[in-house]
Amino acid sequence: MNPDAKPTFRWSFLRRIWRLGPLLPVAAGVALVSTCSPRQTVLDEVKALGVLRVATVNSPTTYYIGPAGEPVGFEYELVAGFAAWLGVQIELQVAANPPEAADRVLAGEAHVVAAGLGVTAGRERRMLFTRPVQTVVPLLVHTKGTRKPKNLGELEGTLRVVAGSAHAERLQTLRAQYPQLQWEETADVESEELLLAVANGEVDYTIANSDLVAINQRYYPNLRVAFTIADSQPLAWAFAPRDASLRDAAERYLDSVGESELARLRDRYFGHVEQVDAYGALTLATHVETRLPRYRKVFEEAAAATGLDWRLLAAIAYQESHWDPNAVSPTGVRGIMQLTTATAARLAISNREDPVQSILGGSRYFRMLLDKLPPEITEPDRTWLAMVAYNIGYGHLLDVQDLTRQQGGDPHRWLDVRERLPLLTQSKWYRKTKYGYARGHEARSYVGNIRTYYDMLVWMTGVPATAPEPAPQPPPEPPPEKREKDPLGIDSPIL
């Protein structure tokens, strides 16, 4: 071999390997660790981060800031429970609409979509879904006074939907059945904004889910439903497809919540939305302008004295009398708050038809009923059960709670008690109770109406409420031998 010859590539490579020899075991070990260590899952990532990033939307069916300035909403409450179940904080990312919320999860900016997202064939190819958390019906909506179409082939005007929505995807499918079908898609808006555009006559038609339509018909009584686009539409949480760990955890959480708790949550947000029809909503809007201004300051004074929202007190009064101080019921109760003679006497009210005395006395009486309930009953069930007592008497409330307990229900939950209220009209059941017959069907509607009126008053007045405060402390009670038993008689039925 020629000593002056340049070393070949083979020998040069071997010399480099020889120089690295002492480091090779370490490098091999690092490679072995890097290839054998388990990949971090999305669930691991969320727990390590300590935060669940949720893509949502502002909507009365999903997430919004409530009257007391706190975050509320059906999906918000549910997904906040999921974050607590995981032991992490919740971070909200508010998108313009559900399709944008889905895009944020697909882009890795958020972990989960909780935004009333419809489960469609197209989305199932791109995302992972939980079981449905809600089921709705997609509806074609128009306004009063326009011709009601019978199907999509009879549309005369502009149909506008959210771009990339489940409704837009369904229209693409329906075009095979209606070749002439045309529509517009718009981004950066939510379905609620399109309902407002229809109500204002800016758009002829839109498609929206039944829960959202029912809520908005209270505020825009001229909205009308033409027909259903499909029988039902499941709404669910959605996740990016990179792994199923977080979705599987969400399924376990929903298992732990259980259907009864989901039903209670649905009832809290949607159980009363169809109580008041379009005419009732229009009548309330008229009375807010013509009657409420005369009494608003008195309701506010009553609220300051009782620690309650004045609009809750006004809603009770509206259900009782439509704010008519001369109202008289067939059973003889009178005034804005519809007080009986006995209750008025116990409240030291000299004139039930005097609006100031009636509002202040009736509000104080409702506060007493609220405070009389046992501490195990939490809000909002506490307020709703106090409404039952105001309507049919505290004694009848105790009766229906007892029937609820006998039938395996929870007497501290409105949803369970509401189901048994009609039993108070059936002799088979009311004969077994202490106070006997009561108009249980009426009490169900009574609570639902007040909940609706309260929501509408909050929306119409547009001023955030403060959270309910404890009632002002009464003076010290006299010794037992000098104390009247149940001085307001709230253990006896209000007839």
Side-chain angles (χ1 to χ4, degrees), residues 186-436:
T186 180
D188 302 324
V189 299
E190 238 282 56
S191 287
E192 190 169 35
E193 296 174 66
L194 293 179
L195 286 172
L196 175 58
V198 172
N200 290 339
E202 300 166 13
V203 179
D204 298 293
Y205 311 100
T206 191
I207 299 174
N209 291 334
S210 52
D211 54 351
L212 190 65
V213 172
I215 289 171
N216 279 272
Q217 279 184 314
R218 300 181 303 180
Y219 310 131
Y220 312 116
N222 61 332
L223 289 176
R224 294 291 185 271
V225 174
F227 53 83
T228 62
I229 299 295
D231 291 337
S232 64
Q233 168 70 66
L235 309 180
W237 293 348
F239 303 80
R242 55 190 177 115
D243 79 63
S245 59
L246 191 58
R247 190 276 307 272
D248 293 346
E251 289 282 14
R252 293 193 297 273
Y253 163 70
L254 293 173
D255 271 339
S256 73
V257 170
E259 187 52 43
S260 63
E261 182 64 17
L262 280 175
R264 183 196 67 82
L265 198 57
R266 292 187 191 105
D267 175 76
R268 176 176 181 179
Y269 290 101
F270 311 120
H272 64 294
V273 295
E274 295 179 348
Q275 281 293 136
V276 178
D277 61 14
Y279 177 78
L282 188 59
T283 303
L284 173 64
T286 302
H287 287 160
V288 165
E289 294 181 359
T290 60
R291 296 183 180 180
L292 181 60
R294 282 177 270 170
Y295 309 117
R296 176 166 173 170
K297 287 186 178 179
V298 186
F299 284 121
E300 290 173 344
E301 182 182 342
T306 59
L308 299 169
D309 187 338
W310 73 265
R311 288 164 296 191
L312 174 63
L313 300 174
I316 294 171
Y318 189 77
Q319 169 62 25
E320 291 288 352
S321 66
H322 281 204
W323 301 321
D324 178 1
N326 299 313
V328 181
S329 83
T331 58
V333 292
R334 291 177 179 269
I336 283 185
M337 299 297 280
Q338 292 286 279
L339 301 173
T340 65
T341 303
T343 301
R346 291 169 186 138
L347 291 166
I349 293 173
S350 60
N351 182 0
R352 289 182 288 163
E353 295 183 41
D354 176 74
V356 175
Q357 290 189 53
S358 184
I359 291 170
L360 294 178
S363 299
R364 185 158 55 97
Y365 183 65
F366 181 75
R367 178 82 240 190
M368 291 172 177
L369 291 169
L370 195 63
D371 292 343
K372 190 173 180 67
L373 293 171
E376 304 85 59
I377 303 177
T378 57
E379 292 293 357
D381 302 77
R382 188 178 189 85
T383 294
W384 299 339
L385 293 178
M387 290 176 190
V388 173
Y390 193 98
N391 178 236
I392 59 174
Y394 193 84
H396 289 312
L397 172 62
L398 295 177
D399 283 347
V400 74
Q401 286 182 301
D402 189 48
L403 292 175
T404 301
R405 188 181 295 106
Q406 291 175 30
Q407 295 190 353
D410 187 341
H412 297 157
R413 289 201 171 179
W414 161 243
L415 191 61
D416 290 3
V417 171
R418 184 186 70 177
E419 185 180 334
R420 277 82 181 183
L421 274 167
L423 299 180
L424 296 179
T425 66
Q426 302 172 24
S427 60
K428 172 185 175 182
W429 296 102
Y430 71 69
R431 284 185 299 179
K432 301 176 181 179
T433 65
K434 181 177 180 180
Y435 293 101

